[in-house]
Amino acid sequence: MKLITAVIQPHTLDQVKAALQSAGVRGMTVSEVSGYGRQKGHTEVYRGAEYTVDLVPKVRLEVLVSDEEASALAELVVRVARTGKIGDGKVWVTSVDEVIRVRTGASGPDAL
Amino acid sequence: MEPYIDTGITAWMLVSASLVLLMTPGLALFYGGMTRSKSVLNMMMMCFGALALIAVIYPLWGWSMSYGESLGGILGNPLDQFGLGGSFDQVSVLDTETGAAIPTIVDVGFQTTFAIITVALIAGALADRVKFSTWMVFAGLWVTLSYFPMAHMVWSGGLLSGDGPFAAIAEPVDFAGGTVVHINAGVAGLVLALIVGKRKGFGAEPMRPHNLPLVMLGAALLWFGWFGFNAGSAYGADETAGLAWVNTTTAAAAAVLGWLVTEKLKYGKATSLGAASGVVAGLVAITPAAGALTPVTSIVLGVLAGGLCALAVGLKHKLGYDDSLDVVGVHLVGGLVGTVGIGFLATDGGLLFGGGVNLLVVQVIIAAVAILLSGVVTLVLGLALKSLMGWRVATEDEVRGIDLAEHAEGAYEGINS
C-alpha cells in the first residue's frame, strides 16, 4: 500500500478531487496548510507598512491507495493540479506498512 | 422667557447620547480587528474597561469638573456639583429668547459618552503589551486631570472658549471636540507610546491586522455613532444639526477617497484598512468644524485629512515609536487638520473666505495649548505609573499573547490563535 501526499494550490483542489473520484478513489484527507518553496512569499501592505509573508496557504491532500494504482494516480494529481506557474506544489508517494479500518477492524488492501 | 422643556431637542439629545455611546464598542471592533489574534480581547477590554470606569466617574466628579464653578477658567470645582448635587441645575436653557431647555441630566448623559470615547481612543497606542490594571488606573486619573479640565476650558467658558482671553483676537471654534477629544487623545497616545516602548518584535516581524472585516464593521459603527457626536453637538433639532450631519458625511467620504488615492499612488494598492482609516480620519477632522463649514468646504477638509493622515501613519516607522494602531497618525493629525483647517475654511471668519488671519491664529493657539496641556499631564501620569505600577507585561506573556496572560481567555480556537 502507498500513501500519496500532494501539496497543491488551493484553487486546484476541486478539480483534483473530482479527477481522483472518477479514477475510483473512495476516500481522502484534505488539510489547509501553509508553507513555501521556490516561489517564496508575497507582499502585503497595511497602512503603508509592507510585510513580506513567507508562508503562503496551500492544501495538503492525502490518499491511501494500492501499490498497483499508486504511480498512475500520482501522475493524475500532477496533471490536474498543474497550472504551469511557480508555486504549483509537490506530490510524493511513500510506502505504508499497515492500514486498518476503524469501523470493521479489516486490515491491508481490504481497508482501503 | 420662562424656560420650558423642548421635547424635540430632548429626544434628539437622548438619541445622540445613545449613538455616541455605541462608538466605544465600535472602536473596540475597529481596534480589535487591527491587533493580532492573540491580543484582540485585551484591546477590546481596554475600551470596555474605559467605558465602565468613566461612566461611573462622570456623574460623581466629571460633570462638576467640566461644568461646575470655574476655578480660574482652567477647571470646574469637583465639589461644586459632586454626584450631581450642590449647585446642580436641573434645567439647561439652550435659548434665552424662546426659553427652550433640556433637562440637564440629558446633557450629563451626552457628555459622559464623550469622556468615555476619548479615553478609549488612547488605548490604540498601547495594543498588545500593557498591564490592564495600569491602564485602568491611568484611565481614571487621565480623564480627571486632562479631559475634564480641557472640556471646561473649551466648552464651559474657560481659557480656550469664546469667553477666554484669546477671544479678543477671534472666537475659537471647536464644534464637537477637536481639541478636547482628538488632539487630547492623540497627544496622550504619542506620549504613552514613548513611555511604554515598542512591542516585542516591532519593525522586525509582521504585525498584520488579524481581522479586517471587524475593522470595517467598527469603522461603520463609528461613522453611525458620529452623527450623534457632531449633529448632537448642535444642541438642537434644527438646521445646524442638519448641516453637521451632512458635513460629517461629506468629510468622511472625501477622506476615504483622499486616503485611497494617496495609498494607490504611494504603495500601488487601495486597501480596505485604508478605507476604514479614511472614514475615521475624515470624521476626526470634521469634528471641530462640523458647524463652521459648508458641505463643499467639508469635502476639501476631508480630502486633506485623508491624504495627510495616510502619510502620517508612516511616521512611526520613520521615527521609531510604536503607536500600535496609529492614534497619532489618525487622531492627532486629523484633529490638527480640522482645528487649524477651520482657520482657512470657516464660512464665517476663515482666511480663504475673506476673514483674515485672526481666526487662523486663534485656532493654532488653542491647538498648541491643547497639545501642551495633554502632553504635560500625560507625561507626568505616565512616568508616575511606570515607577509605581509598571506599564509592561512580562516579555514571555507578551509573546505568548496578552489575552491569555491578562484575562485568562483566548479569542479563537486553534493552535496559532
Side-chain angles (χ1 to χ4, degrees), chain A residues 44-53, chain B residues 34 207-209 267 277 313 317 325-326:
Chain A
E44 296 178 8
V45 186
Y46 296 100
R47 277 186 179 164
E50 293 193 16
Y51 298 134
T52 302
V53 180
Chain B
M34 274 192 270
M207 294 179 177
R208 54 195 292 251
Y267 306 105
S277 311
V313 292
H317 298 289
L325 310 182
D326 299 309

Side-chain angles (χ1 to χ4, degrees), chain B residues 31 43 118-127 129-130 135 138 142 146 180-198 316 321-333 370-371 373-379 382 391:
Chain B
Y31 278 172
M43 191 69 248
T118 305
V119 177
L121 285 174
I122 303 169
L126 304 173
R129 59 196 188 285
V130 161
W135 162 251
F138 172 82
W142 187 88
S146 188
V180 182
V181 177
H182 297 288
I183 293 177
N184 203 357
V187 170
L190 176 61
V191 171
L192 285 190
L194 291 169
I195 292 173
V196 169
K198 301 173 202 174
K316 67 176 180 185
Y321 62 89
D322 184 8
D323 163 23
S324 329
L325 310 182
D326 299 309
V327 181
V328 178
V330 176
H331 292 278
L332 177 54
V333 173
I371 290 173
L373 181 90
S374 179
V376 170
V377 170
T378 312
L379 185 68
W391 275 101

Side-chain angles (χ1 to χ4, degrees), chain B residues 97-355:
Chain B
E97 281 180 27
T98 64
I102 58 171
T104 308
I105 192 73
V106 173
D107 198 16
V108 171
F110 187 58
Q111 291 300 327
T112 300
T113 61
F114 278 62
I116 290 169
I117 182 85
T118 305
V119 177
L121 285 174
I122 303 169
L126 304 173
D128 293 9
R129 59 196 188 285
V130 161
K131 288 180 189 168
F132 188 63
S133 52
T134 311
W135 162 251
M136 290 297 282
V137 172
F138 172 82
L141 291 171
W142 187 88
V143 79
T144 301
L145 299 175
S146 188
Y147 181 86
F148 298 149
M150 195 94 87
H152 182 78
M153 279 189 252
V154 176
W155 290 328
S156 185
L159 285 180
L160 303 179
S161 74
D163 298 328
F166 305 121
I169 310 169
E171 186 166 335
V173 178
D174 185 355
F175 190 72
T179 46
V180 182
V181 177
H182 297 288
I183 293 177
N184 203 357
V187 170
L190 176 61
V191 171
L192 285 190
L194 291 169
I195 292 173
V196 169
K198 301 173 202 174
R199 283 168 291 178
K200 180 98 183 131
F202 176 72
E205 59 186 72
M207 294 179 177
R208 54 195 292 251
H210 90 284
N211 190 331
L212 287 169
L214 277 193
V215 176
M216 303 297 270
L217 178 61
L221 287 175
L222 281 168
W223 193 336
F224 184 59
W226 226 291
F227 290 131
F229 205 93
N230 286 355
S233 291
Y235 280 87
D238 55 14
E239 71 281 3
T240 309
L243 178 68
W245 195 105
V246 173
N247 286 349
T248 299
T249 302
T250 46
V256 171
L257 300 177
W259 192 300
L260 292 181
V261 168
T262 307
E263 242 183 4
K264 179 72 183 168
L265 293 175
K266 197 149 183 246
Y267 306 105
K269 297 278 189 248
T271 68
S272 61
L273 181 60
S277 311
V279 167
V280 178
L283 292 168
V284 169
I286 196 63
T287 292
L293 270 49
T294 68
V296 175
T297 47
S298 295
I299 292 171
V300 175
L301 187 75
V303 168
L304 277 173
L308 289 172
C309 291
L311 296 174
V313 292
L315 285 177
K316 67 176 180 185
H317 298 289
K318 287 204 185 79
L319 302 177
Y321 62 89
D322 184 8
D323 163 23
S324 329
L325 310 182
D326 299 309
V327 181
V328 178
V330 176
H331 292 278
L332 177 54
V333 173
L336 286 171
V337 168
T339 300
V340 176
I342 291 168
F344 291 100
L345 294 171
T347 316
D348 184 13
L351 180 62
L352 300 178
F353 290 84

Side-chain angles (χ1 to χ4, degrees), chain B residues 23-39:
Chain B
M23 289 170 71
T24 297
L27 183 77
L29 293 171
F30 181 69
Y31 278 172
M34 274 192 270
T35 62
R36 290 170 289 177
S37 55
K38 61 185 179 181
S39 42

